Each structure stands twice: as structure tokens, then as C-alpha cells.
Amino acid sequence: MFFIQILIVAFAVLVISRIVLSFKNGKIAIKGMLMWLGLWIALLIVVLSPQITGFLAKILGVWRGTDAVVYLSIVLIFYLIFRIFVKLEKIDSDLTTIARKIALRGENNHEIK
Amino acid sequence: MKIAAVMPAFNEEKVIGQVLLKLKSHVDQIIVVDDGSRDRTSQIAKDHGAIVYRHPINRGLGGALGTGIKAALLNGADVIITVDADGQHDPEEISAMIKPILDGQADVAIGSRFLIKQSMPLFRRTGIPFFNLVAFILFGIRSTDSLSGMRAFSKKAAQSLKIRASGMEASLEILKESRALGLKMKEVPIKAIYTEYSTSKGLKFLPGLKFLIKVFASKLIN
């Protein structure tokens, strides 16, 4: 086992424990937990048996396994950013709805007497 | 016919009083949406006879316009005209703005600063046509002044328009929605009064860039 593998495995185990802990404390929902667990377990598998990536590379039609992993990671990261963006937009619009309701009810007008 | 002016305002205590004074005689009612100002904007607007609605937190132009238009409808407006709080718009032009609406020629009138020759800070002169081009490429909107703050709406238009964007993107959204809803649109030439104050308040480079990114992203989502 290479040093880099030990390092990544140790880090992944730490992250996985944090994910489970966050779920137990009710900070993330079960869907979120499963998604993140899946991601980090997949990472563990790839780190522990890198030859799998060679198979992946063949399917994707690229030369090296590491290339395949990098490409897939970038796609995944972009997807996650997009998801976060959509979620933020939703929260932004919800905030506006709440601010509008409060404004139209005139509840906070006492501040300006 | 009840003509209501809707004025979004964020930290405008320095000028809003004067702007309201000049505006008063041109409309039946003024609705100021204080978009979470930390200064005396609300108080001054009230003192000048405006009906004030106050957002507890800052939501941006689209959020404030949406609240203002809804409030105007609740107050029984027949025609709604949006006016900037920084004094950029000349209230004398309101009658020209609402004329196409009163005559039934249009449901939405947009005041354009580019239909008559006038001096304008360089950044606006080049920036706004750039955004017009972006609006055309992304949404197929043909407008000579896609970011104009002076707009007039018939009651029908105000009732059917839904503004979802919270920031400046709302300007483009209004044009896009109006077209999608099949509302009749008309551009009306307006002057723009550029004082040092109104220039400092308007579109700048970095917020402009942020705005551009948001517009592109919203194109991606919707």
C-alpha cells in the first residue's frame, strides 16, 4: 500500500464517520446521507483497488484510469454545483415571498413610527 | 382611473424626499417599497405622503417591484408606473408613459433612454446596449433599453405578471414574461437625469458582472 492510499483512506474514513454522525444528529436527511456515503465509499473502492479505474477508462474510451476518474469527478462536481445553485435560487425566492408577506401585512412598520 | 407610482427604495434618505415632492402631483398615489433600508428612507417617504411597505431584509429590485405592484393592486390602482427613487426619472414624462396604456394601445410601456439623443455616462452608454444584446441572444427580447426602471403597466398586465427574480434580472424577466403572456408592449422615449448621486446608485461593473452570471444561470435552469 502506498502512503497516498493510506492518507486518502484515513481521510475518507474520517469523512464517512462525520456523515453518519451528521445524520444521527439530524443535520442531514437520509437521502443526503446515502448520497454522500455512496460517493465516499466509491472513492474508497477506487483508492484501494485502482485497477477498477482501468475498466472504467475502457468503457469511457479514454487511455488511463486516472483520467477517467478525473473526468467523472469534474462532471459530478459541476452537477453538485448546479444542484446547490438551484436550491439557493429556491431559498432566495422563498425569502422574497416571506419578506413580501411581512411588508404587505405591515407587521414591522412599528420600527418607523 | 387611479394612477399609482411604485418606487423601490434602498437607503435613499438623501434624495427620496425631493423625488417624492416632484412626483406627487403627477400620480394619484405613491407606493414606496423600502427594501430593508438601514437609514430613514421609510420615515421620509411617509412624511411625504407615500404609502410605505417595508421589507424586513433587503431583497433586491425584483423583490421590491413585486411587492410594490401587488400593493398597488391591493390599493385599487388601474395603471401602475414604476419610478426609480434616485431621481433619474422626470415625473413630467409620466403622462407620456401612461398614454399608450390609457389609450389601450399597450399593456406594458417601457421608458427608453435610447430613443432620443442625450448625454449619458460612458459606462451606461456602452453597458446597456451590451445587456440589450444579451437579452436578445438569450431570450429573443428586442429592446432598446432592457434595464430601464421606468415602466407602466395596465391593471391586466400587473395582475398577470409574476416577477420571480429578486435582483436586477427582474428587468429582463418583466420583458420576457410580458412577451410570453402576449401583452402588448410599447417603448416610450424618456430623458434620463444623471446626477452624481444617480450615477453612483446605478449599474456598476462588478454587480453588472454578477447580474450577467445570474441571467445566464437562469437561462440554464428555466
Side-chain angles (χ1 to χ4, degrees):
Chain A
M1 211 183 209
F2 295 108
F3 179 63
I4 179 96
Q5 284 177 304
I6 299 171
L7 210 70
I8 295 177
V9 168
F11 186 67
V13 169
L14 185 81
V15 173
I16 287 173
S17 70
R18 301 289 308 180
I19 293 170
V20 175
L21 210 67
S22 299
F23 174 66
K24 273 192 175 163
N25 293 340
K27 282 183 188 157
I28 52 172
I30 188 149
K31 206 174 122 196
M33 178 185 76
L34 290 178
M35 191 188 85
W36 290 115
L37 276 184
L39 198 71
W40 284 92
I41 289 169
L43 182 95
L44 268 183
I45 294 169
V46 166
V47 170
L48 291 175
S49 50
Q51 62 276 15
I52 289 178
T53 61
F55 173 67
L56 217 65
K58 258 191 197 149
I59 299 176
L60 290 175
V62 290
W63 286 99
R64 292 185 311 170
T66 36
D67 289 353
V69 170
V70 169
Y71 295 154
L72 286 179
S73 307
I74 290 174
V75 170
L76 188 72
I77 288 169
F78 268 109
Y79 173 69
L80 287 177
I81 291 175
F82 179 71
R83 282 271 304 266
I84 291 171
F85 185 85
V86 171
K87 187 91 189 168
L88 271 180
E89 284 288 292
K90 169 87 172 60
I91 292 172
D92 193 61
S93 129
D94 288 350
L95 268 179
T96 302
T97 308
I98 295 172
R100 181 165 301 151
K101 279 203 171 139
I102 293 173
L104 290 173
R105 252 193 247 153
E107 264 180 8
N108 56 344
N109 285 357
H110 62 271
E111 288 175 29
I112 48 164
K113 261 174 198 162
Chain B
M1 276 285 173
K2 191 169 181 182
I3 319 282
V6 165
M7 183 182 285
F10 178 53
N11 293 339
E12 302 276 12
E13 66 177 0
K14 282 189 194 142
V15 292
I16 195 168
Q18 294 168 357
V19 176
L20 289 172
L21 268 180
K22 285 185 202 152
L23 181 63
K24 241 181 204 172
S25 56
H26 298 272
V27 292
D28 300 315
Q29 189 172 57
I30 303 174
I31 286 162
V32 169
V33 180
D34 177 355
D35 194 15
S37 299
R38 287 180 297 273
D39 63 5
R40 296 180 61 247
T41 298
S42 282
Q43 184 62 58
I44 296 168
K46 270 200 166 178
D47 292 346
H48 285 80
I51 306 174
V52 177
Y53 292 88
R54 188 172 150 80
H55 282 174
I57 46 171
N58 181 248
R59 295 310 305 142
L61 177 68
L65 278 176
T67 301
I69 290 172
K70 202 163 182 185
L73 288 171
L74 287 172
N75 283 289
D78 296 300
V79 179
I80 296 169
I81 178 144
T82 66
V83 184
D84 285 359
D86 61 8
Q88 193 200 113
H89 300 134
D90 182 358
E92 298 285 339
E93 290 176 322
I94 287 179
S95 55
M97 283 290 298
I98 60 175
K99 192 171 181 295
I101 310 250
L102 295 176
D103 293 349
Q105 288 172 6
D107 302 301
V108 179
I110 308 288
S112 172
R113 294 162 282 185
F114 288 85
L115 294 176
I116 39 174
K117 272 206 168 164
Q118 57 185 322
S119 69
M120 195 182 278
L122 182 71
F123 185 57
R124 303 289 158 82
R125 183 183 294 284
T126 49
I128 294 164
F130 172 71
F131 280 110
N132 294 344
L133 187 69
V134 170
F136 178 68
I137 294 170
L138 291 186
F139 307 112
I141 298 166
R142 283 172 192 275
S143 170
T144 60
D145 196 353
S146 53
L147 301 184
S148 174
M150 203 183 209
R151 317 169 188 84
F153 302 98
S154 67
K155 190 175 181 175
K156 174 185 134 195
Q159 280 167 337
S160 48
L161 271 174
K162 297 255 175 318
I163 303 172
R164 284 176 208 89
S166 50
M168 274 198 302
E169 319 82 85
S171 299
L172 296 187
E173 196 186 17
I174 288 172
L175 300 177
K176 197 177 97 185
E177 277 270 300
S178 301
R179 204 188 49 171
L181 290 165
L183 299 170
K184 281 181 285 177
M185 291 204 268
K186 195 173 177 355
E187 286 193 339
V188 176
I190 57 164
K191 291 187 293 261
I193 307 162
Y194 285 106
T195 58
E196 205 174 299
Y197 182 82
S198 74
T199 309
S200 76
K201 275 282 184 173
L203 184 68
K204 287 197 216 60
F205 182 70
L206 268 181
L209 199 67
K210 200 175 129 200
F211 165 64
L212 196 64
I213 293 170
K214 274 204 136 183
V215 170
F216 271 105
S218 76
K219 174 73 183 170
L220 218 68
I221 294 178
N222 303 316

